[in-house]
Amino acid sequence: MSDTFKAILVSRDAEKKQSVDVVDLTEADLMEGDVTVAVEATTVNYKDGLAITGRAPVVRRWPLVPGIDFAGTVIDSSHPDWRKGDHVILNGWGVGETHYGAYAGRARVKGDWLVPLPEGMSAHDAMAVGTAGYTAMLSVMALERHGIVPDRGPVVVTGAAGGVGSVAISILSSLGYHVIASTGRNAESPYLIDLGAAEVISREELSQPAKPLAKERWAGGVDSVGSHTLANVLSMTSYGGAIAACGLAGGMDLPGSVAPFILRGVSLLGIDSVMAPKPVRLEAWRRIGTDLDLKKLSTLSRTIGFDGIIAAAHDIVEGKVRGRVVVDM
């Protein structure tokens, strides 16, 4: 095992100008934790793109190794749940934001942050799912808890060609839902239909200022866009329906009306993947193992090496990435 390993390090100077460098680190450079993991695969999420490009204040500790999730093998542990050789996954918990993250050959983290790699799933598979797919599953679970089952009617998925959207479509369609995919990239329609979408609509239908109430079109949905898109989705949700909100690719604002909530009994379900408690994480990954067709992972993902991370980070915030990006370390 090499004493040094490559890492991406984001830093700021006295004028708060951000720089991104590839550096060599040793385990002595890592932050505190009771488990050290050899990172075998990671991914490039939208949040990772924001961290590397500096387009949003994702990084809150300087300098920092970004990368919010990884899969790998435990190489050292003083935590009672983990032993050397265990295969693990990490999503969130501030990793890649306030704690050194995945874009390095090693990661030292708290054992309480880890979950086991599902049986039959490789590290590469797990990162083809990644935080985006795990968030999609949390969204599906929230809709189910609210009683949004396939018999209730269609469900909409916004930002459909992105990571969350791609996995959400695959999961929902495999569970028997009639999925309406909303995308700003019409050329991706065949891809979305191949994932399981029954209909594809243009993002333009949802991007203008929303009416307080519009024609009822779906019983529920998964929204990763926010802003006018989420306001429109809510205004078109049928009586007693629910929308799981898990992203802000279109903006952090919600320029809508209370009308869907007080006149149609619509519910807005907030999805937080970063600090979700461990039992919820374990159930989400168990469901991913049973409800996501792993054969579709090759369709909804592409693979790059460590040297491609920075370019992929810029591409994802510019809307040039379809589905998931897996990094084989």
Side-chain angles (χ1 to χ4, degrees):
M1 185 177 297
S2 174
D3 292 332
T4 64
F5 48 87
K6 287 188 177 297
I8 294 174
L9 195 69
V10 293
S11 307
R12 284 203 310 198
D13 61 19
E15 284 73 42
K16 296 186 177 182
K17 181 180 179 181
Q18 180 169 314
S19 60
V20 181
D21 299 289
V22 176
V23 300
D24 289 321
L25 299 180
T26 70
E27 289 190 12
D29 296 311
L30 298 177
M31 296 177 67
E32 292 185 1
D34 48 15
V35 181
T36 303
V37 179
V39 178
E40 296 168 359
T42 180
T43 180
V44 181
N45 297 288
Y46 189 75
K47 184 181 282 188
D48 298 318
L50 295 175
I52 286 179
T53 61
R55 295 196 186 184
V58 170
V59 176
R60 300 192 298 278
R61 179 198 184 280
W62 304 90
L64 192 81
V65 175
I68 65 173
D69 53 3
F70 62 74
T73 300
V74 173
I75 56 177
D76 185 65
S77 173
S78 60
H79 190 283
D81 290 351
W82 306 108
R83 295 181 299 176
K84 183 177 180 179
D86 286 342
H87 303 294
V88 295
I89 300 171
L90 182 138
N91 306 107
W93 293 118
V95 171
E97 299 178 64
T98 58
H99 191 96
Y100 274 22
Y103 296 160
R106 306 281 184 273
R108 184 179 295 125
V109 298
K110 293 183 179 181
D112 289 342
W113 296 348
L114 300 169
V115 297
L117 183 73
E119 188 174 349
M121 185 178 288
S122 68
H124 185 281
D125 289 342
M127 289 300 99
V129 177
T131 287
Y134 151 67
T135 302
M137 180 54 79
L138 291 177
S139 301
V140 172
M141 290 163 57
L143 292 175
E144 291 175 336
R145 288 195 299 271
H146 197 78
I148 308 302
V149 295
D151 289 347
R152 287 284 298 271
V155 291
V156 65
V157 175
T158 67
V164 173
S166 295
V167 180
I169 290 168
S170 183
I171 293 170
L172 288 165
S173 63
S174 72
L175 293 172
Y177 290 85
H178 180 101
V179 182
I180 301 172
S182 167
T183 181
R185 293 178 268 175
N186 294 332
E188 301 292 6
S189 292
Y191 162 75
L192 299 173
I193 291 170
D194 189 46
L195 289 180
E199 302 177 48
V200 180
I201 63 174
S202 172
R203 178 174 60 195
E204 298 302 317
E205 295 187 38
L206 304 175
S207 61
Q208 302 304 311
K211 298 178 181 179
L213 286 177
K215 182 180 178 181
E216 297 176 49
R217 298 179 66 176
W218 33 72
V222 176
D223 175 68
S224 61
V225 179
S227 193
H228 292 293
T229 295
L230 178 54
N232 274 289
V233 165
L234 289 166
S235 76
M236 299 175 185
T237 301
S238 59
Y239 192 90
I243 301 298
C246 60
L248 45 68
M252 205 174 222
D253 59 330
L254 181 54
S257 161
V258 298
F261 309 119
I262 64 175
L263 297 179
R264 287 187 182 158
V266 170
S267 295
L268 179 58
L269 312 175
I271 307 299
D272 167 51
S273 65
V274 176
M275 303 303 290
K278 192 165 184 176
V280 175
R281 293 168 180 267
L282 291 170
E283 176 61 11
W285 278 101
R286 185 194 70 77
R287 288 284 304 275
I288 287 167
T290 59
D291 297 345
L292 177 61
D293 183 356
L294 297 183
K295 295 177 183 177
K296 290 185 177 180
L297 290 180
S298 61
T299 300
L300 60 82
S301 66
R302 65 182 176 94
T303 304
I304 62 174
F306 176 87
D307 292 342
I309 291 174
I310 295 173
H314 285 269
D315 286 344
I316 199 167
V317 297
E318 293 170 8
K320 297 178 181 179
V321 170
R322 181 178 80 177
R324 305 282 297 126
V325 178
V326 182
V327 183
D328 279 342
M329 298 288 283

